[in-house]
Amino acid sequence: MNGQKQRNKKDPSQMRHGYTTGACAAAMTKAALQALVTGEVPNEVTIYLPVGQYATFKVTAFDRSDGRVMCETIKDAGDDPDATHQARIQSTVTYANKEGIHLDGGVGVGRVTKAGLPVAVGQAAINPVPRKMILGVVQEAIDKYKVNRGIEVVISVPDGVEIAEKTLNGRLGIIGGISILGTRGTVVPFSSSAYMASIAQAINVAKEAGSEHLVITTGGRSEKFAMKQYPHLPEEAFIEMGDFVGFTLKNIARKKFPKVSLVGMMGKFSKVAQGVMMVHSKSAPVSFEFLAGMANKVGVSEEIQQDILQANTASQVGEILQGNEAFFEALCRNCCYYALNHMNASIKVSTTLYAMNGSCLGKAENIDKLDEDDWYRG
């Protein structure tokens, strides 16, 4: 999963698309092999992307020696806040002593050490679609130039080790650099599909590692709280789901985990408690009427209920009711009920709510049945 930071506040419809590390690697492979065969390094090359369009990439640097050519381009992620934006992507091509096309990763490209990823343990972290793209451009050149020798391709990212520190690669078992990624060839700014793919990948890794208890959180802060709460669990058991609660739960159910714990804060979990499974602020605003109704259910005074209805944020509601264990436990149970209902699977669900300062507001543990009398629907 790549680290993200906002670089601008453009309207999404006006944002510029970019290109994946996989597309860059394939383009530089084409350039390097062309130079190896013809003796001339091209200024740019054009390749056909999986998304169904052509793209042209500049060769920003190269290096030649006997029987070896390296070509480099600078990755342009467009307006996507991607950790690999402006990364140097290199491909070094040589003739091989054995027949066929041989692809590997070099400096700054991670190596897979855990099962559950789309790349086998021990191989360079070059995902299937980029791998197919790279092998495809090599085969095209072999056919075009009638090459009758084996070809060796090594993809490198000189700053890949440093870039990988901004990602979750280490947790996924990708060691020593970044992954060469991309299913489309293009990068869509703030792509939900990319984030969801990283969640599914993390779940797969946890499953293959033998985890039986997953802890899902909405962000980095809640994950820190969760790690303190469950210090016995391995790192891969913790998954940042962001706003994608429903998607994450469905994937966990599909993999038949026996236990899941939700850890978060009032803003987003007050939405989960009323059955909202996509908790982005634009998708579903906080319902203060629901929170006031929940307070009424556990016997909170009408005066405080009015304070809840006048609140500006869910965190403010948390402050108003701080110390009221019955309210927060009921809210956590509701999160569990809706999670169970959404997954429709045999699984134990726990929920813990934290305040922004890290104090635990309440929890509900190991709920495995829907209690219609206790389940508050507003």
Side-chain angles (χ1 to χ4, degrees), residues 113-126:
T113 64
K114 293 180 182 179
L117 295 169
V119 177
V121 171
Q123 290 191 357
I126 303 172

Side-chain angles (χ1 to χ4, degrees), residues 65-82:
S65 59
D66 292 339
R68 169 188 170 279
V69 179
M70 182 280 291
C71 286
E72 173 183 298
T73 195
I74 305 298
K75 181 193 169 182
D76 180 4
D79 286 323
D80 193 63
D82 190 290

Side-chain angles (χ1 to χ4, degrees), residues 25-164:
M28 290 306 98
T29 299
K30 179 175 181 176
L33 184 50
Q34 182 178 321
L36 183 67
V37 174
T38 68
E40 296 291 329
V41 179
N43 292 322
E44 60 184 31
V45 290
T46 299
I47 63 171
Y48 190 69
L49 303 176
V51 74
Q53 65 189 49
Y54 288 95
T56 300
F57 296 79
K58 290 183 178 179
V59 177
T60 54
F62 66 89
D63 182 57
R64 286 189 295 182
S65 59
D66 292 339
R68 169 188 170 279
V69 179
M70 182 280 291
C71 286
E72 173 183 298
T73 195
I74 305 298
K75 181 193 169 182
D76 180 4
D79 286 323
D80 193 63
D82 190 290
T84 59
H85 180 62
Q86 296 291 295
R88 296 157 57 201
I89 311 296
Q90 300 178 344
S91 179
T92 302
V93 177
T94 58
Y95 290 118
N97 294 325
K98 51 187 177 180
E99 293 182 356
I101 306 168
H102 310 280
L103 174 61
D104 203 357
V107 173
V109 173
R111 196 144 304 258
V112 175
T113 64
K114 293 180 182 179
L117 295 169
V119 177
V121 171
Q123 290 191 357
I126 303 172
N127 269 23
V129 172
R131 188 174 292 270
K132 183 178 179 181
M133 291 171 66
I134 294 166
L135 297 178
V137 297
V138 174
Q139 189 60 54
E140 284 177 14
I142 288 173
D143 295 341
K144 178 179 179 179
Y145 298 110
K146 297 180 170 49
V147 177
N148 59 5
R149 301 173 65 179
I151 300 293
E152 182 177 290
V153 179
V154 176
I155 306 301
S156 302
V157 183
D159 302 318
V161 174
E162 292 80 8
I163 295 170

Side-chain angles (χ1 to χ4, degrees), residues 164-212:
E165 292 175 358
K166 304 172 187 176
T167 74
L168 294 177
N169 275 11
R171 185 176 302 182
L172 295 175
I174 300 168
I175 305 302
I178 67 167
S179 305
I180 303 301
L181 302 172
T183 56
R184 295 165 47 90
T186 58
V187 175
V188 180
F190 300 96
S191 169
S192 294
S193 60
Y195 195 91
M196 289 190 289
S198 69
I199 292 171
Q201 195 172 73
I203 292 169
N204 287 341
V205 169
K207 184 68 175 180
E208 291 294 330
S211 295
E212 294 192 338

